[in-house]
Amino acid sequence: MPREELTRLTGNGNGNGTCGDEDCPNVYRAANGTLVIQGGISEAFMPPSGEALVEIPEEVLREAVRALGW
């Protein structure tokens, strides 16, 4: 799905994100309600085929939770 179809929850100046409009760890919400995570590739373990591991700073996840009102 194109990035334009996602709602950016972090790094847009509405929270404590430090990246602003830069490409850095972020959390997005898809139209179907799922979350899309952008972050550095993690090699902590090998996930199943079709899945990937990413690492994001705790502050990015906290900002996403605030944006969702959880």
Side-chain angles (χ1 to χ4, degrees):
M1 83 186 57
R3 185 184 286 193
E4 296 78 29
E5 293 181 13
L6 302 172
T7 301
R8 189 173 181 168
L9 300 175
T10 59
N12 58 14
N14 293 331
N16 294 330
T18 58
C19 294
D21 291 330
E22 304 278 329
D23 269 350
C24 61
N26 278 296
V27 178
Y28 300 85
R29 184 179 224 174
N32 65 3
T34 62
L35 299 177
V36 177
I37 310 298
Q38 174 186 351
I41 296 173
S42 174
E43 296 181 6
F45 63 90
M46 183 59 83
S49 179
E51 296 183 6
L53 303 175
V54 299
E55 294 184 13
I56 60 170
E58 182 178 325
E59 69 182 46
V60 172
L61 186 56
R62 289 180 182 275
E63 184 180 350
V65 168
R66 279 193 300 275
L68 291 168
W70 293 353

